[in-house]
Amino acid sequence: MTYRVAIMGGDGIGPEVVAEGLKVIAAAGVELDTVSYDLGGERYLRDGVVLTDEIVAEWSELDAIYAGAVGSPGVPPGVIERGLLLRMRFELDLYINLRPFKFPGNADRDGHDFVVIRENTEGTYAGEGGFLRKNTADEIATQGSVNTRHGVERAVRYAFDLAMSRRKHVTLVHKTNVLTFSGDLWERTFNEVAVDYPEVTTAYNHVDAACIYFVDDPQRYDVLVTDNLFGDILTDLGGAVSGGIGLAPTANLNPDGVSMFEPVHGSAPDIVGTGKANPIAAVLSGAMMLDHLGEDAAADRIRKACSDPESLSGSTSEIGDAIVARL
Ligand code: IPM
Ligand code: MN
């Protein structure tokens, strides 16, 4: 079986790490029929194109999208983030942002294994808001948070379903003590969905407290579910406490459509071309793509080959080669 996959290396170290991911996928025996898309900050600086309707339509016909990282110095904030990444998430309805964190070690001390389910299409990312009296002394800027019952419920249900295949524990992370409207919707939805999963135990943490537990006691977590912005921030912290952001993969999932796979990290323009970029996050994102394509055995082999990341050292391509050798 050959899968049709869009490749979007992007900017900075993006193309370098994606090349290693593709090398590893091929070595694991999975054949991809790839279509490359030159998009990101550099493309925008060259001809002003961020993303087109035609490209979105092409993507929706493919089996998956595999991406590196986007963002270039010199591009104003928001152009690529909103115009490319968020547009992709919204138009392809990639409503689950799944970020697993695993740290091998002493099971009751530093070892941990948890997954953050970040709602990926709503919250403060929705773009609600605007300016009044811009550039005056009386300027007002608002940035609302959009939370729909539908959007919250599908993220929460996904988290409970996932927990059923793991340690059967789900933690809701929010800030219900201050965000009394959106927090209330999240909490009620979470409690109602929980009734359908009597075997799953639940917990609730305020997001600030969750930050402490990520550092001090991550073993308490199995699956976490949270809002878009909280999830963005928490998952950088998740990477930092799990061996570094260079190891953290992402799946942006539409369980009924095309999905997109990328590292949590950014384009790191400061280290482009130095060989210092760690390709493991991109390789593990590739493994998540293989899971999604139904190539579970190859995905597991790749994860196994990356399971002691401290022993994988060298340049970007040397690490890729070492993973291939272990396959
Ligand atoms: C991420 C990134 C993006 C986000 C940015 C680049 C739009 O930080 O995927 O975590 O905020 O979601
Ligand atoms: Mn982020």
Side-chain angles (χ1 to χ4, degrees):
M1 177 117 189
T2 300
Y3 304 96
R4 298 203 65 215
V5 175
I7 307 296
M8 191 178 83
D11 302 309
I13 61 169
E16 301 172 13
V17 296
V18 159
E20 299 311 309
L22 291 172
K23 186 160 97 182
V24 171
I25 289 169
V30 178
E31 213 173 297
L32 303 182
D33 175 7
T34 59
V35 195
S36 289
Y37 289 87
D38 173 18
L39 294 169
E42 295 307 313
R43 170 75 189 270
Y44 170 74
L45 291 173
R46 210 162 58 240
D47 64 9
V49 171
V50 178
L51 181 59
T52 64
D53 294 344
E54 292 70 35
I55 294 175
V56 176
E58 280 169 37
W59 283 345
S60 56
E61 300 298 316
L62 299 178
D63 295 315
I65 303 167
Y66 185 47
V70 290
S72 304
V75 180
V79 172
I80 298 302
E81 292 83 350
R82 294 210 79 88
L84 179 54
L85 284 180
L86 298 193
R87 185 172 168 198
M88 192 188 292
R89 291 176 189 174
F90 296 163
E91 291 196 16
L92 299 174
D93 204 19
L94 309 176
Y95 61 88
I96 298 299
N97 186 306
L98 190 158
R99 294 182 164 169
F101 299 97
K102 212 171 187 163
F103 192 74
N106 184 333
D108 48 29
R109 220 165 29 86
D110 51 349
H112 58 253
D113 176 3
F114 60 87
V115 180
V116 176
I117 300 300
R118 163 185 175 192
E119 196 292 318
N120 212 28
T121 56
E122 301 192 344
T124 44
Y125 279 64
E128 197 258 0
F131 295 105
L132 284 173
R133 301 191 279 275
K134 193 172 181 187
N135 292 319
T136 73
D138 300 318
E139 174 163 354
I140 299 171
T142 62
Q143 191 99 44
S145 173
V146 174
N147 298 264
T148 69
R149 170 72 195 214
H150 170 71
V152 172
E153 183 167 340
R154 63 187 183 172
V156 168
R157 280 200 184 277
Y158 190 94
F160 275 89
D161 284 335
L162 179 63
M164 286 301 289
S165 66
R166 295 175 46 97
R167 300 193 305 275
K168 298 190 174 64
H169 184 69
V170 184
T171 305
L172 170 64
V173 174
H174 210 281
K175 186 76 185 176
T176 55
N177 52 344
V178 174
L179 305 184
T180 52
F181 308 131
S182 58
D184 191 74
L185 172 59
W186 274 85
E187 193 168 43
R188 271 182 292 118
T189 306
F190 183 84
N191 290 336
E192 282 170 32
V193 170
V195 173
D196 294 339
Y197 296 85
E199 291 169 55
V200 177
T201 57
T202 61
Y204 170 77
N205 292 159
H206 291 319
V207 64
D208 46 355
C211 290
I212 297 177
Y213 297 140
F214 265 47
V215 175
D216 280 356
D217 184 26
Q219 294 76 21
R220 70 171 56 217
Y221 294 123
D222 177 20
V223 177
L224 300 91
V225 62
T226 192
D227 134 290
N228 207 339
L229 182 59
F230 294 147
D232 176 48
I233 299 165
L234 266 184
T235 53
D236 267 28
L237 184 56
V241 299
S242 309
I245 202 79
L247 305 180
T250 303
N252 292 271
L253 301 172
N254 175 340
D256 310 306
V258 66
S259 295
M260 188 269 216
F261 303 83
E262 60 173 351
V264 174
H265 66 68
S267 58
D270 51 319
I271 57 165
V272 67
T274 63
K276 285 188 189 153
N278 191 333
I280 293 178
V283 168
L284 292 174
S285 303
M288 293 178 87
M289 176 167 74
L290 297 190
D291 282 331
H292 187 73
L293 294 172
E295 295 285 347
D296 312 41
D300 286 342
R301 283 172 61 220
I302 293 174
R303 270 188 290 269
K304 197 153 172 267
C306 297
S307 62
D308 53 343
E310 325 74 55
S311 69
L312 289 164
S313 58
S315 68
T316 308
S317 64
E318 283 166 354
I319 294 176
D321 291 340
I323 296 168
V324 166
R326 288 182 183 183
L327 289 171

